[in-house]
Every structure is written in structure tokens, then in C-alpha cells.
Amino acid sequence: MEQTLKIPTHIGFIMDGNGRWATQRGLSRSDGHRQGAEAMKKVVKACSQKGIKVVSIYAFSCENWSKRPQTEIKFLFSLITQFVKKEMKDYVKSGYRVRFSGDLSQLPKSTQNAVQKIIDASKDNQGLIVNIALNYGSHQEIVRAVNRILQSGLREIDEQMLEDCLYSAGLPPLDLVVRSSGEKRLSNFMLWQASYSELIFLDKYWPDFDEDTLDEILKEYSKRDRRFGGIS
Ligand code: IPE
Ligand code: IPE
Ligand code: MG
């Protein structure tokens, strides 16, 4: 008998393997990132069509800054800026609300401007929430939240108060985190928010992700028995 498909409310993607996808084809890493952006378009659209409410996407980590060649960082930011500018109209038209997690103040000015425009233009939309983790690290996010609490003068907190100071304030917890490229780690991605999420690791490189990959993911997620500390 066909199993009924369970649809996560909040899904996270760690987009990994752009570089290896390109190398395998004798292309440049930049080509891999370009193809990765195309995959992101397909996957986000498919998430919306499946009725998922929130998709969080790891686009650039704090650690990526210092650990990659300057030329790659520069290329990535020009690609991200172009993507935000070009996709913006479609996202706004599709009713998506775009938000960002991460320290945006460190980004190139042109990226900051593009990002602010898409946030403003989509802020009243009621459709899929697209949360892009950009210059993001989970440890950095939690330390920032604690500092914001300390600055308010509080000496004792509860979980809700900490959550309200995270970049993800107001979003539901992650139900599912998916990572491409065969690596089985979270690499500082939304650790607080993923505390009870299901994890799916696929060997496929990110540029090969599409609508069919999402179907495969949802089938696997539907088989999981989420107990949250209880018994089935
Ligand atoms: C993911 O692909 C994109 C970013 C981290 C920005 P990678 O660039 O990490 O690709 P691999 O892991 O080197 O193949
Ligand atoms: C994780 O990918 C970060 C993003 C997807 C933006 P990395 O390729 O940077 O992660 P590691 O270095 O393999 O852990
Ligand atoms: Mg990688």
C-alpha cells in the first residue's frame, strides 16, 4: 500500500558539492556554483508546490570567508547578488517571503542593497518563507543572541527568550535537514533549530538536485517515526 506523504513544515538544505560536481565534469568551481543556483531555484519552487511552509538554505557560512580563495569568495558574492536581484521579481510574484540569517553587515555593499530590497519587497507576502543563511554560523548566532539578552540587562532567561533573539525568531523548528554530496555533518548550520529534526544525507551533489530529488526526500521523511522522546 502507498504510504501517505508527510510534508515537513520547515525543511533545511545544506547545499554542498558544487565544486566536486564541476571538477568531475572538467568545469571550473564557478560553473559548479552557477549550476547550484539553478538547482536552488528548482528545489525552492518544488517546496512551495508541495505545501512546505518554510525552507532554510545554507548559502554561505562564516567559515567559508577565511577558508576559501578570495577569487572564489568574490565570485560567490557576485553570483548571490545577481541571484537576489534576478529572482526577486519572481519570488515576490510567487508570494514568497524572503528573509536572511547571518551577519549581513560584513557583506559587500551591493549584496547588502540587493538583500534589503528583496526583504522589503516581499515582507507582506503570505506564501513560502525562504530563509537564506548567508555569512551564517550557528555558534555565532547563539553568542549574538546571548549578547543581545545581556545588553537588555536580564540575568536569567528561558528557551523562548533565547529563540526570540535568534535570526530565525518566529520560525518553527526544523523538521528535516537535508545535506547533499555525501558529507554527514551539519557544519554549524542551525544547531538550535535542528535539535529534533530528521536528517537526510544524499550522495548526489547539489547541482543535481531537482523536483524528483525532493520527492525522494519526502518519501524517506514520511517513513521516519518522530518520537520526540516518547514511544510509538
Ligand atoms: C557548496 O559547494 C557551496 C558553498 C559552500 C558556498 P562547495 O563549494 O562546498 O563544493 P565542494 O564541497 O567543494 O564540492
Ligand atoms: C557547508 O558547506 C556550508 C554551506 C553549504 C554554505 P562546506 O563545504 O563549507 O562545509 P564543510 O567545510 O565541508 O564542512
Ligand atoms: Mg563543500
Side-chain angles (χ1 to χ4, degrees):
M1 205 177 76
E2 272 277 310
Q3 213 187 2
T4 49
L5 212 57
K6 286 188 207 148
I7 303 295
T9 303
H10 186 179
I11 185 168
F13 289 98
I14 303 175
M15 311 192 279
D16 197 15
N18 294 349
R20 279 165 283 167
W21 179 90
T23 306
Q24 216 175 44
R25 288 165 175 72
L27 302 169
S28 66
R29 291 183 59 85
S30 300
D31 291 327
H33 293 312
R34 245 184 241 115
Q35 215 44 53
E38 292 304 312
M40 179 177 151
K41 279 189 217 170
K42 290 184 209 162
V43 171
V44 167
K45 193 168 167 204
C47 284
S48 170
Q49 285 167 346
K50 291 286 176 197
I52 290 166
K53 302 287 183 225
V54 188
V55 54
S56 287
I57 300 180
Y58 207 3
F60 192 86
S61 74
C62 298
E63 289 75 27
N64 289 148
W65 270 123
S66 54
K67 305 228 166 91
R68 294 188 181 220
Q70 269 309 308
T71 47
E72 180 165 345
I73 308 284
K74 249 184 113 173
F75 176 80
L76 274 170
F77 278 108
S78 80
L79 182 71
I80 289 165
T81 310
Q82 264 181 43
F83 185 87
V84 171
K85 281 185 182 166
K86 240 175 72 191
E87 283 305 293
M88 185 168 83
K89 285 197 192 106
D90 271 357
Y91 275 20
V92 177
K93 249 198 294 179
S94 305
Y96 301 167
R97 182 146 59 91
V98 183
R99 50 188 282 173
F100 288 81
S101 290
D103 183 2
L104 304 179
S105 72
Q106 303 298 312
L107 306 184
K109 272 276 167 293
S110 54
T111 311
Q112 287 189 38
N113 292 338
V115 158
Q116 199 50 57
K117 272 195 190 140
I118 194 171
I119 294 171
D120 293 342
S122 68
K123 70 177 181 346
D124 296 324
N125 283 350
Q126 301 294 315
L128 177 73
I129 297 174
V130 182
N131 173 40
I132 300 175
L134 193 53
N135 195 20
Y136 173 84
S138 193
H139 282 188
Q140 293 83 341
E141 176 185 44
I142 291 169
V143 169
R144 171 182 171 273
V146 172
N147 278 323
R148 291 175 73 193
I149 290 163
L150 291 175
Q151 278 152 19
S152 75
L154 282 169
R155 292 171 58 84
E156 200 181 323
I157 60 160
D158 58 25
E159 289 187 14
Q160 189 60 51
M161 286 152 98
L162 187 85
E163 272 182 20
D164 291 345
C165 290
L166 297 175
Y167 293 118
S168 58
L171 296 182
L174 279 160
D175 297 300
L176 169 62
V177 174
V178 181
R179 183 170 187 146
S180 53
S181 92
E183 308 299 350
K184 294 173 185 67
R185 54 177 171 266
L186 294 175
S187 300
N188 210 10
F189 179 65
M190 300 182 80
L191 304 179
W192 175 282
Q193 298 86 343
S195 64
Y196 252 109
S197 86
E198 295 298 318
L199 305 173
I200 294 180
F201 300 101
L202 296 182
D203 286 336
K204 239 190 241 195
Y205 295 136
W206 177 258
D208 288 328
F209 269 50
D210 59 13
E211 305 77 9
D212 293 341
T213 320
L214 184 66
D215 285 341
E216 198 185 310
I217 288 164
L218 294 178
K219 269 194 203 132
E220 170 59 29
Y221 175 75
S222 300
K223 289 187 208 152
R224 304 284 176 95
D225 179 16
R226 304 187 72 196
R227 289 189 290 277
F228 297 99
I231 44 179
S232 38

